[in-house]
Amino acid sequence: MNPAAGDAKVHRAIRRWALTLLLVASAPALATTASEQERASKELQAIAGELNQLDRWLNDAERQQASLQKELQQHDGRVAEVSRKLSDIDNQLAAGERTVRQLEAEAAGLQASREAQAGRIARHINAAYRLQRQDVVRALLNEEAPADLDRMLRYHRYFSDARMQAIRSMQTTLVALKSNQQALRSEREALQQSRAGLVDAQAELERRRVQRSELIRRLSRDMASKNVRQKQLLADRQRLEKLLAELERRQREKTSTEFAKRRGMLPLPVSGNVVFRYGAPRADGKLRWDGMVYRTSKREPVRAVHRGTVVFANWLRGFGMLTIIDHGNGYLTLYGYADDLLRGEGEVVEAGEVIAHAGQSGGQSFDGLYFEIRHKTSAVDPRPWLSR
């Protein structure tokens, strides 16, 4: 067997295997994997996931806010109760102060009255004592009747006893007044201590109420922010749903496109001269060209010949920088040797749209473009498809 012929067969087999592998690898992308529709679907799923998280957060936040509101209500009730108790204690303290002042005034009056009365009693007793001695002496000297003398003595004794009783009663009153004053002072001190405790409790309750109020305000701000985010996500989801509907419509339109009807009317993929035609021998006649090779100016625009979806846009051995476009119904067009690639996988391109620039990638010796048409993995002659 001729070694050169064997190498040619091997090279041809490798080339066909590479193209077949490429087409098989790109088949899922023709459906959904590398398309805008799949990317939009994934983005929509991400938005739906974030919306679900937001819904759970908002539900938890609403429950937390309700709990905080309930706690705040309880704290407000306690603060109101403490304030009422403080008001009652203040009223009791004020009443106690008034009572103490009144008792002190009464005690002062009684003390003054007692002193005045004591002076009068002392003077009266002194006078009565002198009078009693004179009366007794006079009665003895005049030899009055014993009954009259006894009556006079009893009179003076009764008078003296009445004065002593008045003095003891006044002293008892003063002792009671002093005891009441001490009791009122003790009660006032106890009320003041209770008031101080209530003031501290009120300050603590007020501090906790302020904390709860701040938590509620902060939670409300967070909820407002989350609600804004939720609205944005809902709007994004609506836009994505519209985009998906449009992409589905385009997909149906694309797959229903009859590429075969454009036979003989496809525009040229690039401006230039054809240097190798479909079926022309290559590699010393051991291989034949499956497409056409154009010689062009450097970075000449390369245009899609028909509307379709880019299913491959990358470097491939033997083709350099290669773009493959799916036109539906099993028709593909290939654009190789490009200097750069302007459209990525999954992008929809229109007829005449610039998708690359001609170049020398893949080890070519001149600036040009390799163009090929395939139908169901088989290469077909592009010349009958292109307009003259």
Side-chain angles (χ1 to χ4, degrees):
M1 181 177 180
N2 188 348
D7 291 342
K9 289 182 179 180
V10 171
H11 184 72
R12 181 184 300 174
I14 292 174
R15 184 171 178 276
R16 289 179 178 175
W17 173 82
L19 279 176
T20 302
L21 180 62
L22 170 62
L23 295 174
V24 171
S26 64
L30 299 179
T32 54
T33 53
S35 65
E36 289 185 34
Q37 185 174 0
E38 183 182 7
R39 288 200 295 270
S41 297
K42 289 181 178 180
E43 188 175 352
L44 186 59
Q45 290 176 358
I47 289 176
E50 189 173 354
L51 279 172
N52 290 334
Q53 291 179 355
L54 277 175
D55 287 338
R56 288 192 293 269
W57 188 93
L58 287 171
N59 290 334
D60 293 340
E62 287 175 356
R63 286 193 294 269
Q64 185 179 358
Q65 189 180 44
S67 176
L68 289 174
Q69 290 284 3
K70 186 176 181 180
E71 290 184 18
L72 184 61
Q73 180 182 3
Q74 293 174 351
H75 282 297
D76 288 343
R78 291 171 188 167
V79 170
E81 182 180 359
V82 170
S83 298
R84 181 183 57 78
K85 289 182 179 179
L86 281 174
S87 179
D88 292 342
I89 287 179
D90 288 339
N91 291 333
Q92 293 177 23
L93 285 172
E97 291 292 340
R98 288 193 297 271
T99 302
V100 168
R101 288 194 296 270
Q102 182 179 356
L103 289 175
E104 288 176 347
E106 291 179 359
L110 288 174
Q111 183 67 25
S113 176
R114 185 183 73 83
E115 291 176 356
Q117 189 175 10
R120 287 195 300 271
I121 291 174
R123 290 192 299 273
H124 178 74
I125 290 174
N126 187 30
Y129 176 76
R130 290 194 302 271
L131 177 61
Q132 178 181 355
R133 291 177 59 87
Q134 293 175 1
D135 289 343
V136 172
V137 171
R138 188 183 297 112
L140 291 175
L141 292 176
N142 293 335
E143 297 181 353
E144 293 183 358
D148 293 336
L149 181 60
D150 182 66
R151 184 174 61 253
M152 183 180 62
L153 290 175
R154 285 199 307 273
Y155 169 75
H156 284 291
R157 187 171 61 252
Y158 291 154
F159 180 80
S160 178
D161 290 342
R163 291 294 182 272
M164 292 303 297
Q165 182 66 29
I167 291 172
R168 285 193 294 271
S169 177
M170 185 176 61
Q171 289 176 343
T172 301
T173 300
L174 291 175
V175 170
L177 286 172
K178 185 176 181 180
S179 177
N180 287 340
Q181 288 176 349
Q182 291 176 350
L184 286 171
R185 290 190 182 95
S186 298
E187 183 178 0
R188 180 171 59 188
E189 291 177 358
L191 288 173
Q192 288 175 345
Q193 290 178 356
S194 298
R195 189 181 190 283
L198 287 173
V199 168
D200 293 340
Q202 186 184 42
E204 176 63 18
L205 287 172
E206 184 65 27
R207 183 184 66 81
R208 294 172 64 182
R209 181 170 67 173
V210 170
Q211 289 179 347
R212 292 296 186 277
S213 299
E214 179 59 28
L215 284 175
I216 291 175
R217 285 192 293 270
R218 190 183 310 160
L219 189 59
S220 297
R221 289 194 299 269
D222 291 342
M223 289 179 67
S225 176
K226 297 291 185 182
N227 283 325
V228 170
R229 176 59 177 163
Q230 187 181 45
K231 291 179 180 179
Q232 292 175 346
L233 288 173
L234 288 172
D236 292 343
R237 185 172 68 177
Q238 291 176 354
R239 285 193 294 270
L240 278 176
E241 288 175 347
K242 291 180 179 179
L243 175 60
L244 282 172
E246 176 63 19
L247 289 174
E248 289 175 356
R249 185 190 66 79
R250 291 185 180 184
Q251 185 70 14
R252 289 192 300 269
E253 180 181 339
K254 178 178 71 67
T255 55
S256 64
T257 300
E258 297 182 5
F259 186 82
K261 292 183 178 181
R262 299 292 298 171
R263 183 181 176 89
M265 296 183 288
L266 297 178
L268 296 177
V270 70
S271 295
N273 299 321
V274 177
V275 293
F276 297 108
R277 299 181 181 277
Y278 173 83
R282 60 183 303 190
D284 296 330
K286 300 176 179 62
L287 296 175
R288 296 195 177 274
W289 287 98
D290 289 333
M292 302 170 61
V293 178
Y294 290 85
R295 181 190 292 270
T296 68
S297 302
K298 185 177 179 60
R299 291 187 58 80
E300 184 72 21
V302 177
R303 303 178 186 275
V305 298
H306 191 72
R307 188 180 190 277
T309 301
V310 176
V311 294
F312 183 85
N314 210 327
W315 189 90
L316 184 67
R317 181 177 178 180
F319 297 90
M321 300 301 291
L322 174 67
T323 297
I324 300 178
I325 300 177
D326 172 35
H327 303 287
N329 298 327
Y331 286 97
L332 302 172
T333 53
L334 286 70
Y335 309 79
Y337 304 166
D339 188 59
D340 57 9
L341 303 178
L342 303 182
R343 294 293 179 265
E345 297 177 9
E347 294 189 54
V348 177
V349 296
E350 302 294 337
E353 184 175 347
V354 178
I355 60 172
H357 290 98
Q360 300 182 25
S361 63
Q364 306 308 310
S365 60
F366 56 86
D367 290 307
L369 172 72
Y370 175 78
F371 177 70
E372 182 178 324
I373 298 178
R374 283 187 168 261
H375 183 232
K376 297 180 179 179
T377 72
S378 297
V380 298
D381 186 359
R383 286 177 296 177
W385 294 83
L386 300 175
S387 60
R388 300 296 187 269

